[in-house]
Amino acid sequence: MAGILQIQRQTQYNQSIIFQQLPGLFDGCQFYFSGNFEYPTPEKEELISLVKLGGGHVIQREPKPGQVPESDLTRPYHAPPDMATCCIYIVRDNTAECQPIKSPVMCSVKASWIMDCVSQFKLLSVVNERSL
């Protein structure tokens, strides 16, 4: 029963976002897709499509921490308070073993983070995992 109530609340929240004509979920976010996206991770093209449908911007060059021009920085509309300044996300395969990146403006996330954000219609806090 609790699961049904949660789904109903989430549906009402999503409808209120649409009704109020608020920006898309990924508005103000930039994404760089790094590596191979192999099964069981969703295909890179599918993830890119989700990001674009949510108002996100896909960048072609890998951003370097500390070398992002201030003019490229945006403030994600739907960001939680602890992620208010993070606007560049480096998306990696769910199975990738890489050093995590977490700076005030840039962080690395697994592809599953995008799916989780879409399913809950909110930008989730990034967990600093060793397996990113």
mmCIF file of all heavy atoms in Angstrom, residues 100-118:
data_model
loop_
_atom_site.group_PDB
_atom_site.id
_atom_site.type_symbol
_atom_site.label_atom_id
_atom_site.label_comp_id
_atom_site.label_asym_id
_atom_site.label_seq_id
_atom_site.Cartn_x
_atom_site.Cartn_y
_atom_site.Cartn_z
ATOM 1 N N PRO A 100 36.501 8.518 -8.977
ATOM 2 C CA PRO A 100 35.366 9.441 -8.978
ATOM 3 C C PRO A 100 35.841 10.889 -9.060
ATOM 4 O O PRO A 100 36.911 11.230 -8.578
ATOM 5 C CB PRO A 100 34.672 9.160 -7.649
ATOM 6 C CG PRO A 100 35.684 8.503 -6.800
ATOM 7 C CD PRO A 100 36.652 7.819 -7.710
ATOM 8 N N ILE A 101 35.037 11.703 -9.686
ATOM 9 C CA ILE A 101 35.296 13.138 -9.769
ATOM 10 C C ILE A 101 34.187 13.826 -8.996
ATOM 11 O O ILE A 101 33.011 13.586 -9.248
ATOM 12 C CB ILE A 101 35.290 13.627 -11.226
ATOM 13 C CG1 ILE A 101 36.395 12.953 -12.008
ATOM 14 C CG2 ILE A 101 35.411 15.149 -11.286
ATOM 15 C CD1 ILE A 101 36.340 13.210 -13.499
ATOM 16 N N LYS A 102 34.558 14.653 -8.060
ATOM 17 C CA LYS A 102 33.558 15.403 -7.289
ATOM 18 C C LYS A 102 34.165 16.745 -6.948
ATOM 19 O O LYS A 102 35.066 16.857 -6.137
ATOM 20 C CB LYS A 102 33.183 14.638 -6.013
ATOM 21 C CG LYS A 102 32.131 15.331 -5.182
ATOM 22 C CD LYS A 102 30.769 14.801 -5.511
ATOM 23 C CE LYS A 102 29.786 15.123 -4.445
ATOM 24 N NZ LYS A 102 28.835 16.018 -4.475
ATOM 25 N N SER A 103 33.723 17.767 -7.653
ATOM 26 C CA SER A 103 34.146 19.132 -7.377
ATOM 27 C C SER A 103 32.874 19.975 -7.275
ATOM 28 O O SER A 103 31.785 19.475 -7.568
ATOM 29 C CB SER A 103 35.072 19.642 -8.483
ATOM 30 O OG SER A 103 34.353 19.926 -9.655
ATOM 31 N N PRO A 104 32.997 21.225 -6.897
ATOM 32 C CA PRO A 104 31.775 22.035 -6.782
ATOM 33 C C PRO A 104 30.979 22.149 -8.086
ATOM 34 O O PRO A 104 29.762 22.287 -8.052
ATOM 35 C CB PRO A 104 32.294 23.406 -6.350
ATOM 36 C CG PRO A 104 33.574 23.111 -5.654
ATOM 37 C CD PRO A 104 34.166 21.935 -6.382
ATOM 38 N N VAL A 105 31.640 22.069 -9.242
ATOM 39 C CA VAL A 105 30.927 22.244 -10.507
ATOM 40 C C VAL A 105 30.862 20.995 -11.366
ATOM 41 O O VAL A 105 30.133 20.960 -12.351
ATOM 42 C CB VAL A 105 31.536 23.394 -11.346
ATOM 43 C CG1 VAL A 105 31.420 24.706 -10.619
ATOM 44 C CG2 VAL A 105 32.955 23.092 -11.731
ATOM 45 N N MET A 106 31.616 19.956 -11.022
ATOM 46 C CA MET A 106 31.693 18.763 -11.867
ATOM 47 C C MET A 106 31.727 17.507 -11.006
ATOM 48 O O MET A 106 32.381 17.471 -9.970
ATOM 49 C CB MET A 106 32.977 18.844 -12.706
ATOM 50 C CG MET A 106 33.142 17.726 -13.687
ATOM 51 S SD MET A 106 34.724 17.790 -14.570
ATOM 52 C CE MET A 106 34.851 19.481 -15.054
ATOM 53 N N CYS A 107 31.026 16.471 -11.482
ATOM 54 C CA CYS A 107 31.079 15.193 -10.773
ATOM 55 C C CYS A 107 30.839 14.064 -11.762
ATOM 56 O O CYS A 107 30.271 14.253 -12.833
ATOM 57 C CB CYS A 107 30.080 15.152 -9.636
ATOM 58 S SG CYS A 107 28.412 15.490 -10.113
ATOM 59 N N SER A 108 31.320 12.885 -11.397
ATOM 60 C CA SER A 108 31.103 11.708 -12.238
ATOM 61 C C SER A 108 29.952 10.897 -11.657
ATOM 62 O O SER A 108 29.785 10.815 -10.442
ATOM 63 C CB SER A 108 32.377 10.875 -12.329
ATOM 64 O OG SER A 108 32.854 10.531 -11.062
ATOM 65 N N VAL A 109 29.166 10.340 -12.550
ATOM 66 C CA VAL A 109 28.011 9.535 -12.152
ATOM 67 C C VAL A 109 27.945 8.290 -13.021
ATOM 68 O O VAL A 109 28.467 8.265 -14.131
ATOM 69 C CB VAL A 109 26.680 10.321 -12.272
ATOM 70 C CG1 VAL A 109 26.638 11.494 -11.326
ATOM 71 C CG2 VAL A 109 26.426 10.763 -13.700
ATOM 72 N N LYS A 110 27.311 7.280 -12.494
ATOM 73 C CA LYS A 110 27.050 6.075 -13.289
ATOM 74 C C LYS A 110 25.810 6.324 -14.143
ATOM 75 O O LYS A 110 24.966 7.159 -13.810
ATOM 76 C CB LYS A 110 26.812 4.885 -12.374
ATOM 77 C CG LYS A 110 28.056 4.450 -11.634
ATOM 78 C CD LYS A 110 27.770 3.216 -10.814
ATOM 79 C CE LYS A 110 29.033 2.757 -10.102
ATOM 80 N NZ LYS A 110 28.804 1.532 -9.347
ATOM 81 N N ALA A 111 25.701 5.588 -15.216
ATOM 82 C CA ALA A 111 24.545 5.716 -16.102
ATOM 83 C C ALA A 111 23.240 5.468 -15.341
ATOM 84 O O ALA A 111 22.219 6.093 -15.633
ATOM 85 C CB ALA A 111 24.679 4.756 -17.271
ATOM 86 N N SER A 112 23.284 4.622 -14.359
ATOM 87 C CA SER A 112 22.076 4.322 -13.585
ATOM 88 C C SER A 112 21.564 5.551 -12.832
ATOM 89 O O SER A 112 20.368 5.638 -12.532
ATOM 90 C CB SER A 112 22.337 3.176 -12.617
ATOM 91 O OG SER A 112 23.379 3.491 -11.726
ATOM 92 N N TRP A 113 22.446 6.524 -12.541
ATOM 93 C CA TRP A 113 22.039 7.754 -11.870
ATOM 94 C C TRP A 113 21.013 8.499 -12.723
ATOM 95 O O TRP A 113 20.029 9.025 -12.211
ATOM 96 C CB TRP A 113 23.269 8.624 -11.589
ATOM 97 C CG TRP A 113 22.975 9.926 -10.922
ATOM 98 C CD1 TRP A 113 22.821 10.151 -9.582
ATOM 99 C CD2 TRP A 113 22.806 11.200 -11.567
ATOM 100 N NE1 TRP A 113 22.570 11.484 -9.358
ATOM 101 C CE2 TRP A 113 22.557 12.148 -10.564
ATOM 102 C CE3 TRP A 113 22.855 11.616 -12.888
ATOM 103 C CZ2 TRP A 113 22.355 13.494 -10.835
ATOM 104 C CZ3 TRP A 113 22.648 12.959 -13.167
ATOM 105 C CH2 TRP A 113 22.400 13.877 -12.148
ATOM 106 N N ILE A 114 21.242 8.536 -14.041
ATOM 107 C CA ILE A 114 20.292 9.203 -14.937
ATOM 108 C C ILE A 114 18.935 8.512 -14.856
ATOM 109 O O ILE A 114 17.897 9.172 -14.738
ATOM 110 C CB ILE A 114 20.813 9.220 -16.390
ATOM 111 C CG1 ILE A 114 22.034 10.131 -16.489
ATOM 112 C CG2 ILE A 114 19.715 9.661 -17.363
ATOM 113 C CD1 ILE A 114 22.694 10.144 -17.844
ATOM 114 N N MET A 115 18.944 7.187 -14.915
ATOM 115 C CA MET A 115 17.687 6.431 -14.856
ATOM 116 C C MET A 115 16.968 6.669 -13.523
ATOM 117 O O MET A 115 15.745 6.840 -13.493
ATOM 118 C CB MET A 115 17.962 4.937 -15.047
ATOM 119 C CG MET A 115 18.713 4.597 -16.325
ATOM 120 S SD MET A 115 17.875 5.087 -17.816
ATOM 121 C CE MET A 115 16.589 3.861 -17.842
ATOM 122 N N ASP A 116 17.732 6.685 -12.430
ATOM 123 C CA ASP A 116 17.138 6.930 -11.113
ATOM 124 C C ASP A 116 16.536 8.333 -11.033
ATOM 125 O O ASP A 116 15.453 8.521 -10.469
ATOM 126 C CB ASP A 116 18.176 6.727 -10.008
ATOM 127 C CG ASP A 116 18.636 5.280 -9.890
ATOM 128 O OD1 ASP A 116 17.926 4.372 -10.360
ATOM 129 O OD2 ASP A 116 19.731 5.060 -9.313
ATOM 130 N N CYS A 117 17.239 9.323 -11.571
ATOM 131 C CA CYS A 117 16.726 10.695 -11.574
ATOM 132 C C CYS A 117 15.421 10.785 -12.357
ATOM 133 O O CYS A 117 14.457 11.411 -11.904
ATOM 134 C CB CYS A 117 17.752 11.651 -12.178
ATOM 135 S SG CYS A 117 19.202 11.938 -11.154
ATOM 136 N N VAL A 118 15.386 10.163 -13.526
ATOM 137 C CA VAL A 118 14.181 10.194 -14.355
ATOM 138 C C VAL A 118 13.028 9.503 -13.643
ATOM 139 O O VAL A 118 11.907 10.018 -13.622
ATOM 140 C CB VAL A 118 14.449 9.552 -15.741
ATOM 141 C CG1 VAL A 118 13.160 9.339 -16.505
ATOM 142 C CG2 VAL A 118 15.424 10.412 -16.539
#
